[in-house]
Amino acid sequence: QQQQQQQQQQQQPWGLVLVGHSLGAGTAALLNIKCHVEGLLGPNRTVKCFGFASPPVFSLDGAERDLLSTKSLDKAIKNCTCFIHGEDCVPFLSILSVSRFATQLERIDNATKSMWPLDRMSLASGKTSVPQDLVHEVQNAEQPTVPGASRLVIPAEKIVWTYTNENGGFDAMGCHSDDVANLGVIVSAKMTADHFPKGYEDSLGALAK
C-alpha cells in the first residue's frame, strides 16, 4: 500500500514556477520561454513565471521570433506575469532606450547652452517650467538608431503596474508590454528607490488585502 501511494504521488501532476526580481526577473522570463519552446519539462508539465522589476529582455520582432515556435512562444508569454512599482526605471532600460535617452539629454544640453547659468539651474531644479519650444524640439527630434540593437519588451501577457495614490495607499493598473516599451526611460527622484523589493512587497501586500 505504501508503494502504491508513492507511485500515485509520483504520477500526480506538478509544475514549475519561476520567480525573480530585477535581472533575476529577466532571467526567469527568458527561462520561461526556453522551457516552453524547447519542451524541457515535457508536454504535461505547466510552467509559469512571475517577474518583479524585470527589464525588457526579449525582441518580438525580426529573426529572433522567426526562429521560435509561435504557438509555444505565445503560451510562454501568456503564462508570464510581471510587475512594475511606482517610478522604477529598470523595466524601461535597454540598449536602445538608454541610447535614445542619452541623445535627448544631449539635445537638451545643447538647447540650453545659451541660457544664463542661474536660469539653467532654476530650470533643472524644477523651479521654472520647461519652455514649450524645448519640449517640442525633444519630442519631435529624430530618434537615433543603434546598430544591432533590437526593440526589447518584457515578454509577459500581463504587466501589473502598482503606484501610490493621492491618499497614500496603493492602486494598480494593467499594461501591455508594447505600451511599456514605448514609454522610454522614466526619470524621477524615485527611479532607483522604487526598484527595491520593499516597494513591491508593500504595494502588492496592501492590494492583496
Side-chain angles (χ1 to χ4, degrees):
Q1 186 178 2
Q2 183 177 3
Q3 184 178 3
Q4 185 178 4
Q5 289 178 346
Q6 290 177 347
Q7 289 177 348
Q8 290 176 348
Q9 290 176 353
Q10 291 174 356
Q11 292 172 358
Q12 288 178 353
W14 56 269
L16 175 65
V17 178
L18 301 167
V19 182
H21 172 264
S22 194
L23 289 179
T27 302
L30 291 176
L31 182 56
N32 174 56
I33 293 175
K34 184 178 178 67
C35 287
H36 280 86
V37 172
E38 298 183 9
L40 298 182
L41 273 67
N44 300 321
R45 305 297 184 189
T46 60
V47 181
K48 294 187 177 181
C49 177
F50 296 92
F52 302 86
S54 172
V57 293
F58 189 73
S59 172
L60 292 176
D61 305 316
E64 292 90 343
R65 175 158 188 156
D66 293 341
L67 293 173
L68 303 177
S69 165
T70 300
K71 185 177 180 180
S72 297
L73 177 59
D74 290 345
K75 185 176 180 180
I77 293 175
K78 183 178 181 179
N79 286 346
C80 184
T81 301
C82 286
F83 300 87
I84 301 173
H85 172 62
E87 298 169 17
D88 185 356
C89 66
V90 171
F92 309 93
L93 297 181
S94 67
I95 294 175
L96 189 59
S97 66
V98 171
S99 175
R100 290 177 173 177
F101 175 59
T103 301
Q104 289 177 336
L105 289 180
E106 184 179 8
R107 291 193 181 112
I108 293 172
D109 188 53
N110 292 334
T112 57
K113 277 183 177 179
S114 59
M115 297 175 63
W116 288 96
L118 290 179
D119 291 337
R120 292 187 71 182
M121 290 177 61
S122 179
L123 183 63
S125 64
K127 293 181 179 179
T128 58
S129 58
V130 180
Q132 284 302 308
D133 57 343
L134 177 57
V135 175
H136 292 315
E137 182 177 347
V138 174
Q139 289 180 339
N140 299 327
E142 182 180 353
Q143 296 293 340
T145 58
V146 181
S150 301
R151 178 179 176 275
L152 300 179
V153 300
I154 300 171
E157 181 179 72
K158 299 173 286 291
I159 296 181
V160 180
W161 195 337
T162 65
Y163 56 93
T164 304
N165 58 35
E166 57 184 11
N167 298 321
F170 296 102
D171 284 325
M173 60 181 177
C175 307
H176 192 275
S177 58
D178 279 332
D179 295 331
V180 173
N182 290 334
L183 288 177
V185 180
I186 292 179
V187 181
S188 77
K190 299 190 295 182
M191 61 189 292
T192 54
D194 280 354
H195 178 65
F196 293 109
K198 187 178 187 305
Y200 285 83
E201 294 170 357
D202 290 346
S203 61
L204 292 172
L207 291 170
K209 291 181 180 179

